[in-house]
Amino acid sequence: MTRNTIRLIIVLGSLAIAGILAVQIYWVKRAYDIESAKFRQTAIHALSEVANNISRVYELADIENPVEQLSSDYYVVNLRTPLDAEVLEHYLKLEFKEHDLNTDFEYGIYDCDTDEIRYGARVTANFVTNTEEPIVLPKTDKFLNYFAVKFPNSSEMLFKNLDFWILSSLITLLVMGFFVYAMVVILRQKRLSEVQRDFVNNMTHEFQTPISTIRVATDVLTQPKILDQPERLKKYVQIIRQENNRLKSQVETVLTTAKVGRGKLQLDVQMQELHSLINEVLEGVKAEHGEGLKLKLNADRTTIFADRVHLLSVIRNLVENAIKYSKKPFEITVETKNTQNGIILSVSDKGIGIPKEYLNKIFNKFYRVPTGNVHNVKGFGLGLNYVQQIVKAHKWTINVISEYGEGSTFSIHIPQEN
């Protein structure tokens, strides 16, 4: 699947999702407005019945349009006579049950002379009265004699009546979530496919180089005259040994990375002397690359607990990585120093450096900093990922400081307990 095809799918899918979401929001809002209007009509009708029932008790004529809505959940009801709280509560419960207004409400009776609330109570959705807390409701000057009713949980009741629309909205969001997840998976798979393709190409090239070198060296060694040239014989044997070690190191890196990915890496942690391991690595590096390596082994406490094989590979990876990305003659510094919390092992170079936008990606598996169409540096993109995984397995930490065009410094912090 090409990049343009994926981009077209994402754009069309995003437009479809936006359209579905807009339609869903429209219908949910419309359903809410309908339920709100229905609730308002039901409340006004029920309160009108309450007012007229009370009027009939006092043998008064019915009141036309006695209810006034002051807010979405607050109503006042006009009366022509002083009101008894028990009578009002009785008719409120009666009419609300009949009209299925099963929600909490508060009511208050006002004294027309003092304009103060004379009595108030809270009634639950189960029509149980609660008068423990004082009721304070807004006043109005619309009517001379009135009572007020407030529905504090009306919004919750309206949403309960929208259960179908809420369920359909959740299903829509679920479908949208699956679509987004599918797009993420497709993009990840495409990226993984590209990374794997680049990895196979790099691995083939990396393996072909030492294999070709070994084949040429063995062809030379098969010549009868080589036995009369011991220095030349020794040189080609050394070449075969170096290329064999390089192949072995590459294969071990790939296998170790695979083990780490499967969670099957096992460390053989024993007491080690850090400076001895550093010198062991640098002797081999100097033999292959010549001078240009500086040592600043300033740490006094250098005994640590670590896996010898993997720690040697970590140091070798960092040093060889610094050499790869340095212009000749290179200048690499390996430094150790003690801190209050442990030991710092750092490898610094004055190479090409790493742009800031790539610093948080260099430890990703198979990742290599983009260099355009120029590929002067060989590798699988596994070295730094391997280093990070081994550091994590030892419960150490690693960080990098780099300035593009000036160089990089990789530092491993080994805690005191290690």
Side-chain angles (χ1 to χ4, degrees):
M1 189 179 293
T2 64
R3 186 179 298 275
N4 289 335
T5 302
I6 293 177
R7 187 179 292 113
L8 179 62
I9 291 174
I10 292 175
V11 171
L12 293 178
S14 300
L15 291 176
I17 287 176
I20 293 172
L21 189 60
V23 171
Q24 189 70 22
I25 292 174
Y26 169 78
W27 283 111
V28 169
K29 184 178 184 303
R30 178 146 187 186
Y32 181 86
D33 292 340
I34 292 174
E35 288 294 329
S36 180
K38 181 181 176 182
F39 177 82
R40 175 180 177 277
Q41 292 175 358
T42 303
I44 290 176
H45 186 264
L47 291 173
S48 297
E49 289 296 321
V50 171
N52 290 325
N53 286 334
I54 293 174
S55 296
R56 295 187 193 108
V57 169
Y58 292 96
E59 298 180 354
L60 299 173
D62 290 350
I63 305 175
E64 186 177 355
N65 300 324
V67 183
E68 183 80 17
Q69 183 180 10
L70 299 186
S71 66
S72 60
D73 61 350
Y74 187 60
Y75 301 82
V76 292
V77 183
N78 186 22
L79 291 173
R80 295 190 181 126
T81 180
L83 189 59
D84 182 76
E86 293 183 2
V87 174
L88 173 61
E89 186 170 316
H90 167 74
Y91 282 113
L92 284 174
K93 291 181 179 180
L94 180 67
E95 293 299 330
F96 286 177
K97 285 181 181 179
E98 186 174 339
H99 290 81
D100 292 326
L101 290 176
N102 300 321
T103 183
D104 296 355
F105 66 91
E106 302 173 354
Y107 72 91
I109 302 173
Y110 287 87
D111 190 321
C112 301
D113 296 330
T114 62
D115 201 25
E116 296 291 334
I117 191 166
R118 182 164 57 84
Y119 181 82
R122 285 184 173 88
V123 181
T124 67
N126 297 324
F127 300 103
V128 177
T129 305
N130 180 7
T131 57
E132 294 179 0
E133 298 181 8
I135 301 299
V136 178
L137 297 176
K139 301 174 184 177
T140 181
D141 55 0
K142 288 182 174 292
F143 306 124
L144 179 64
N145 194 29
Y146 66 94
F147 70 90
V149 176
K150 184 176 183 180
F151 300 94
N153 300 327
S154 58
S155 297
E156 295 180 9
M157 181 180 179
L158 293 178
F159 279 113
K160 287 180 180 179
N161 295 333
L162 296 176
D163 51 355
F164 169 78
W165 293 102
I166 293 174
L167 179 60
S168 63
S169 299
L170 291 177
I171 294 175
T172 303
L173 291 175
L174 185 62
V175 172
M176 292 168 54
F178 275 122
F179 175 81
V180 173
Y181 176 75
M183 288 298 98
V184 171
V185 170
I186 290 174
L187 292 176
R188 284 181 179 176
Q189 290 297 325
K190 178 174 173 56
R191 180 178 176 278
L192 180 60
S193 176
E194 293 174 348
V195 166
Q196 288 177 336
R197 184 189 61 217
D198 294 341
F199 169 71
V200 171
N201 292 337
N202 290 333
M203 183 175 65
T204 303
H205 185 269
E206 286 289 311
F207 284 168
Q208 282 179 343
T209 301
I211 290 173
S212 299
T213 304
I214 292 173
R215 184 176 63 249
V216 172
T218 54
D219 290 342
V220 173
L221 292 178
T222 57
Q223 299 176 3
K225 294 181 180 180
I226 196 68
L227 297 176
D228 299 329
Q229 303 174 0
E231 290 298 326
R232 190 180 177 198
L233 175 64
K234 181 179 179 181
K235 177 181 178 181
Y236 280 100
V237 170
Q238 182 65 26
I239 290 175
I240 293 175
R241 181 179 293 111
Q242 289 178 356
E243 296 301 321
N244 180 69
N245 289 335
R246 178 182 296 177
L247 271 175
K248 180 182 177 182
S249 175
Q250 290 170 344
V251 172
E252 286 179 350
T253 299
V254 174
L255 293 177
T256 302
T257 303
K259 288 181 179 179
V260 171
R262 296 194 304 267
K264 295 183 178 181
L265 178 65
Q266 293 182 349
L267 300 179
D268 181 18
V269 178
Q270 296 182 14
M271 185 179 291
Q272 311 290 341
E273 209 289 315
L274 181 59
H275 287 176
S276 297
L277 298 181
I278 294 174
N279 287 319
E280 182 178 339
V281 171
L282 295 189
E283 285 178 6
V285 175
K286 285 181 179 179
E288 184 175 353
H289 298 282
E291 298 299 324
L293 295 171
K294 295 183 179 180
L295 289 178
K296 292 184 180 180
L297 306 181
N298 300 321
D300 297 325
R301 304 185 303 276
T302 59
T303 301
I304 63 173
F305 287 91
D307 184 299
R308 173 183 172 82
V309 175
H310 288 299
L311 183 54
L312 286 172
S313 297
V314 166
I315 300 172
R316 185 181 300 108
N317 265 285
L318 290 178
V319 174
E320 291 183 348
N321 201 62
I323 293 173
K324 284 181 183 179
Y325 293 96
S326 295
K327 297 179 181 179
K328 294 184 179 180
F330 57 81
E331 184 177 334
I332 311 297
T333 302
V334 180
E335 182 179 2
T336 63
K337 61 182 179 180
N338 287 119
T339 65
Q340 293 182 349
N341 300 322
I343 304 173
I344 299 292
L345 165 64
S346 60
V347 178
S348 304
D349 64 71
K350 295 184 178 180
I352 62 176
I354 305 170
K356 291 183 179 180
E357 61 267 28
Y358 302 128
L359 277 177
N360 61 339
K361 300 179 180 179
I362 60 174
F363 292 108
N364 294 345
K365 189 183 295 185
F366 305 124
Y367 185 80
R368 302 184 71 191
V369 176
T371 56
N373 295 323
V374 181
H375 301 283
N376 295 325
V377 180
K378 302 176 183 179
F380 298 152
L382 291 176
L384 290 179
N385 177 261
Y386 166 79
V387 169
Q388 185 190 50
Q389 296 299 331
I390 296 302
V391 168
K392 283 185 176 180
H394 282 85
K395 298 182 180 180
W396 304 341
T397 57
I398 183 171
N399 61 358
V400 57
I401 300 174
S402 184
E403 289 291 335
Y404 186 60
E406 297 184 7
S408 307
T409 298
F410 289 83
S411 301
I412 298 175
H413 176 250
I414 304 174
Q416 187 67 48
E417 57 267 22
N418 292 115

